[in-house]
Structure formats: structure tokens, C-alpha cells
Short mmCIF file of all heavy atoms in Angstrom, two decimals:
data_model
loop_
_atom_site.label_atom_id
_atom_site.label_comp_id
_atom_site.label_asym_id
_atom_site.label_seq_id
_atom_site.Cartn_x
_atom_site.Cartn_y
_atom_site.Cartn_z
N VAL A 10 -18.74 1.32 -6.68
CA VAL A 10 -19.87 0.40 -6.77
C VAL A 10 -20.61 0.60 -8.09
O VAL A 10 -20.99 -0.37 -8.76
CB VAL A 10 -20.81 0.58 -5.56
CG1 VAL A 10 -22.12 -0.16 -5.75
CG2 VAL A 10 -20.13 0.11 -4.28
N GLU A 11 -20.81 1.85 -8.48
CA GLU A 11 -21.47 2.13 -9.77
C GLU A 11 -20.70 1.53 -10.94
O GLU A 11 -21.29 0.92 -11.83
CB GLU A 11 -21.61 3.64 -9.99
CG GLU A 11 -22.68 4.31 -9.17
CD GLU A 11 -22.70 5.82 -9.40
OE1 GLU A 11 -22.23 6.27 -10.47
OE2 GLU A 11 -23.18 6.52 -8.50
N GLU A 12 -19.39 1.71 -10.94
CA GLU A 12 -18.57 1.20 -12.04
C GLU A 12 -18.54 -0.33 -12.04
O GLU A 12 -18.46 -0.95 -13.10
CB GLU A 12 -17.14 1.76 -11.97
CG GLU A 12 -17.07 3.26 -12.16
CD GLU A 12 -17.69 3.74 -13.46
OE1 GLU A 12 -17.63 3.02 -14.48
OE2 GLU A 12 -18.23 4.86 -13.47
N THR A 13 -18.61 -0.94 -10.87
CA THR A 13 -18.65 -2.40 -10.80
C THR A 13 -19.95 -2.91 -11.42
O THR A 13 -19.96 -3.91 -12.14
CB THR A 13 -18.53 -2.87 -9.35
OG1 THR A 13 -17.32 -2.37 -8.79
CG2 THR A 13 -18.52 -4.38 -9.26
N ARG A 14 -21.05 -2.22 -11.14
CA ARG A 14 -22.34 -2.63 -11.73
C ARG A 14 -22.34 -2.48 -13.24
O ARG A 14 -23.06 -3.19 -13.93
CB ARG A 14 -23.47 -1.80 -11.12
CG ARG A 14 -23.75 -2.20 -9.69
CD ARG A 14 -25.12 -1.75 -9.24
NE ARG A 14 -25.40 -2.35 -7.94
CZ ARG A 14 -25.53 -1.67 -6.82
NH1 ARG A 14 -25.43 -0.36 -6.82
NH2 ARG A 14 -25.78 -2.29 -5.68
N ARG A 15 -21.53 -1.56 -13.76
CA ARG A 15 -21.43 -1.37 -15.22
C ARG A 15 -20.36 -2.29 -15.82
O ARG A 15 -20.04 -2.15 -17.00
CB ARG A 15 -21.08 0.08 -15.53
CG ARG A 15 -22.17 1.04 -15.19
CD ARG A 15 -21.75 2.45 -15.54
NE ARG A 15 -22.74 3.40 -15.09
CZ ARG A 15 -22.47 4.63 -14.72
NH1 ARG A 15 -21.23 5.08 -14.75
NH2 ARG A 15 -23.43 5.44 -14.32
N ALA A 16 -19.76 -3.14 -15.01
CA ALA A 16 -18.71 -4.10 -15.43
C ALA A 16 -17.43 -3.40 -15.87
O ALA A 16 -16.69 -3.92 -16.70
CB ALA A 16 -19.22 -5.03 -16.51
N ARG A 17 -17.16 -2.24 -15.32
CA ARG A 17 -15.89 -1.54 -15.57
C ARG A 17 -14.98 -1.79 -14.37
O ARG A 17 -14.79 -0.93 -13.51
CB ARG A 17 -16.12 -0.05 -15.75
CG ARG A 17 -16.96 0.29 -16.95
CD ARG A 17 -17.09 1.79 -17.04
NE ARG A 17 -18.10 2.18 -18.01
CZ ARG A 17 -18.63 3.38 -18.04
NH1 ARG A 17 -18.28 4.30 -17.18
NH2 ARG A 17 -19.54 3.67 -18.95
N TYR A 18 -14.41 -2.98 -14.32
CA TYR A 18 -13.67 -3.41 -13.14
C TYR A 18 -12.35 -2.65 -12.96
O TYR A 18 -11.91 -2.44 -11.83
CB TYR A 18 -13.42 -4.91 -13.18
CG TYR A 18 -14.69 -5.72 -13.14
CD1 TYR A 18 -14.95 -6.70 -14.07
CD2 TYR A 18 -15.64 -5.50 -12.15
CE1 TYR A 18 -16.12 -7.44 -14.03
CE2 TYR A 18 -16.81 -6.22 -12.10
CZ TYR A 18 -17.04 -7.19 -13.05
OH TYR A 18 -18.19 -7.91 -12.99
N ASP A 19 -11.72 -2.24 -14.06
CA ASP A 19 -10.45 -1.52 -13.93
C ASP A 19 -10.64 -0.18 -13.22
O ASP A 19 -9.86 0.19 -12.34
CB ASP A 19 -9.82 -1.28 -15.31
CG ASP A 19 -9.38 -2.57 -15.96
OD1 ASP A 19 -9.15 -3.54 -15.22
OD2 ASP A 19 -9.26 -2.60 -17.20
N LEU A 20 -11.70 0.54 -13.59
CA LEU A 20 -11.98 1.83 -12.97
C LEU A 20 -12.40 1.65 -11.51
O LEU A 20 -11.96 2.40 -10.63
CB LEU A 20 -13.07 2.55 -13.76
CG LEU A 20 -13.22 4.05 -13.57
CD1 LEU A 20 -11.89 4.75 -13.77
CD2 LEU A 20 -14.25 4.60 -14.52
N ALA A 21 -13.21 0.64 -11.24
CA ALA A 21 -13.63 0.37 -9.86
C ALA A 21 -12.43 0.01 -8.99
O ALA A 21 -12.32 0.46 -7.84
CB ALA A 21 -14.65 -0.77 -9.84
N ARG A 22 -11.52 -0.77 -9.55
CA ARG A 22 -10.31 -1.16 -8.81
C ARG A 22 -9.46 0.07 -8.48
O ARG A 22 -8.94 0.21 -7.38
CB ARG A 22 -9.52 -2.16 -9.65
CG ARG A 22 -8.33 -2.74 -8.96
CD ARG A 22 -7.68 -3.83 -9.79
NE ARG A 22 -8.51 -5.03 -9.74
CZ ARG A 22 -9.02 -5.63 -10.81
NH1 ARG A 22 -8.81 -5.15 -12.01
NH2 ARG A 22 -9.74 -6.72 -10.69
N ARG A 23 -9.38 0.99 -9.43
CA ARG A 23 -8.60 2.22 -9.21
C ARG A 23 -9.22 3.06 -8.10
O ARG A 23 -8.52 3.62 -7.26
CB ARG A 23 -8.53 3.02 -10.52
CG ARG A 23 -7.81 4.34 -10.40
CD ARG A 23 -6.36 4.18 -10.07
NE ARG A 23 -5.74 5.48 -9.94
CZ ARG A 23 -4.76 5.75 -9.10
NH1 ARG A 23 -4.25 4.82 -8.33
NH2 ARG A 23 -4.27 6.96 -9.03
N TYR A 24 -10.56 3.15 -8.08
CA TYR A 24 -11.23 3.90 -7.03
C TYR A 24 -10.96 3.30 -5.66
O TYR A 24 -10.71 4.03 -4.69
CB TYR A 24 -12.74 3.96 -7.28
CG TYR A 24 -13.15 4.83 -8.44
CD1 TYR A 24 -14.27 4.53 -9.19
CD2 TYR A 24 -12.43 5.96 -8.80
CE1 TYR A 24 -14.67 5.33 -10.26
CE2 TYR A 24 -12.80 6.76 -9.86
CZ TYR A 24 -13.92 6.44 -10.58
OH TYR A 24 -14.30 7.24 -11.62
N VAL A 25 -10.98 1.98 -5.56
CA VAL A 25 -10.71 1.33 -4.26
C VAL A 25 -9.26 1.57 -3.85
O VAL A 25 -8.96 1.80 -2.68
CB VAL A 25 -11.05 -0.16 -4.31
CG1 VAL A 25 -10.60 -0.87 -3.05
CG2 VAL A 25 -12.56 -0.35 -4.50
N GLU A 26 -8.34 1.53 -4.80
CA GLU A 26 -6.94 1.82 -4.48
C GLU A 26 -6.79 3.24 -3.95
O GLU A 26 -6.01 3.49 -3.02
CB GLU A 26 -6.06 1.60 -5.70
CG GLU A 26 -5.88 0.14 -6.05
CD GLU A 26 -5.21 -0.09 -7.39
OE1 GLU A 26 -4.93 0.91 -8.11
OE2 GLU A 26 -4.99 -1.26 -7.73
N LEU A 27 -7.54 4.19 -4.54
CA LEU A 27 -7.49 5.57 -4.04
C LEU A 27 -8.08 5.68 -2.64
O LEU A 27 -7.58 6.45 -1.81
CB LEU A 27 -8.24 6.50 -5.00
CG LEU A 27 -7.54 6.82 -6.31
CD1 LEU A 27 -8.47 7.60 -7.23
CD2 LEU A 27 -6.27 7.60 -6.05
N ILE A 28 -9.12 4.91 -2.37
CA ILE A 28 -9.71 4.89 -1.01
C ILE A 28 -8.66 4.47 0.00
O ILE A 28 -8.49 5.10 1.04
CB ILE A 28 -10.92 3.94 -0.97
CG1 ILE A 28 -12.11 4.55 -1.71
CG2 ILE A 28 -11.30 3.60 0.47
CD1 ILE A 28 -13.25 3.58 -1.92
N ILE A 29 -7.94 3.41 -0.31
CA ILE A 29 -6.90 2.91 0.60
C ILE A 29 -5.80 3.95 0.77
O ILE A 29 -5.33 4.22 1.88
CB ILE A 29 -6.34 1.58 0.07
CG1 ILE A 29 -7.44 0.51 0.08
CG2 ILE A 29 -5.14 1.12 0.89
CD1 ILE A 29 -7.10 -0.73 -0.70
N LYS A 30 -5.41 4.57 -0.34
CA LYS A 30 -4.35 5.59 -0.31
C LYS A 30 -4.76 6.80 0.54
O LYS A 30 -3.98 7.27 1.37
CB LYS A 30 -4.05 6.02 -1.74
CG LYS A 30 -2.89 6.96 -1.89
CD LYS A 30 -2.67 7.25 -3.37
CE LYS A 30 -1.63 8.30 -3.57
NZ LYS A 30 -1.47 8.63 -4.99
N TYR A 31 -6.00 7.29 0.34
CA TYR A 31 -6.48 8.43 1.14
C TYR A 31 -6.55 8.08 2.62
O TYR A 31 -6.23 8.90 3.48
CB TYR A 31 -7.86 8.89 0.67
CG TYR A 31 -7.85 9.73 -0.58
CD1 TYR A 31 -8.87 9.60 -1.51
CD2 TYR A 31 -6.85 10.64 -0.84
CE1 TYR A 31 -8.88 10.36 -2.67
CE2 TYR A 31 -6.85 11.40 -1.99
CZ TYR A 31 -7.87 11.26 -2.89
OH TYR A 31 -7.88 12.01 -4.03
N GLY A 32 -6.97 6.87 2.91
CA GLY A 32 -7.05 6.45 4.31
C GLY A 32 -5.70 6.44 5.00
O GLY A 32 -5.55 6.90 6.13
N HIS A 33 -4.69 5.91 4.30
CA HIS A 33 -3.34 5.88 4.86
C HIS A 33 -2.76 7.29 5.01
O HIS A 33 -2.16 7.62 6.03
CB HIS A 33 -2.41 5.04 4.00
CG HIS A 33 -2.64 3.57 4.11
ND1 HIS A 33 -2.59 2.88 5.29
CD2 HIS A 33 -2.95 2.65 3.16
CE1 HIS A 33 -2.84 1.62 5.09
NE2 HIS A 33 -3.08 1.45 3.79
N LYS A 34 -2.96 8.08 3.97
CA LYS A 34 -2.37 9.42 3.96
C LYS A 34 -2.93 10.30 5.08
O LYS A 34 -2.19 11.01 5.76
CB LYS A 34 -2.63 10.07 2.60
CG LYS A 34 -1.95 11.37 2.38
CD LYS A 34 -0.55 11.15 1.90
CE LYS A 34 0.07 12.48 1.50
NZ LYS A 34 1.48 12.34 1.19
N ALA A 35 -4.25 10.24 5.28
CA ALA A 35 -4.89 11.09 6.28
C ALA A 35 -4.98 10.41 7.64
O ALA A 35 -5.50 11.01 8.58
CB ALA A 35 -6.28 11.48 5.81
N ARG A 36 -4.51 9.17 7.73
CA ARG A 36 -4.60 8.39 8.97
C ARG A 36 -6.06 8.28 9.43
O ARG A 36 -6.38 8.55 10.59
CB ARG A 36 -3.74 8.97 10.07
CG ARG A 36 -2.28 8.89 9.77
CD ARG A 36 -1.47 9.40 10.93
NE ARG A 36 -0.06 9.35 10.62
CZ ARG A 36 0.86 9.81 11.42
NH1 ARG A 36 0.54 10.35 12.57
NH2 ARG A 36 2.13 9.74 11.08
N VAL A 37 -6.91 7.92 8.49
CA VAL A 37 -8.35 7.80 8.75
C VAL A 37 -8.75 6.36 8.49
O VAL A 37 -8.33 5.75 7.51
CB VAL A 37 -9.15 8.73 7.80
CG1 VAL A 37 -10.63 8.47 7.90
CG2 VAL A 37 -8.86 10.18 8.12
#
């Protein structure tokens, strides 16, 4: 969210991809 507010969409997109990856990996 912080990076999105700073208009750094590539970094924000990467963080969201990691969120999805961690959720799948840990089954959370």
C-alpha cells in the first residue's frame, strides 16, 4: 500500500505476488 501511494507499481505488484505465494505455501 505504501509503494502504491508512492506510484511504485512494480514494487507493489511484487509484494502482492509474494503475499499470494506465502499464502499458498503455508496453506493460510
Side-chain angles (χ1 to χ4, degrees):
V10 169
E11 285 177 24
E12 295 304 327
T13 302
R14 288 199 171 114
R15 293 180 186 150
R17 296 182 192 163
Y18 296 128
D19 293 337
L20 198 52
R22 186 173 286 122
R23 177 65 181 146
Y24 289 149
V25 172
E26 288 170 356
L27 286 173
I28 287 170
I29 296 167
K30 186 177 173 183
Y31 282 143
H33 286 303
K34 187 84 172 173
R36 294 184 182 176
V37 171

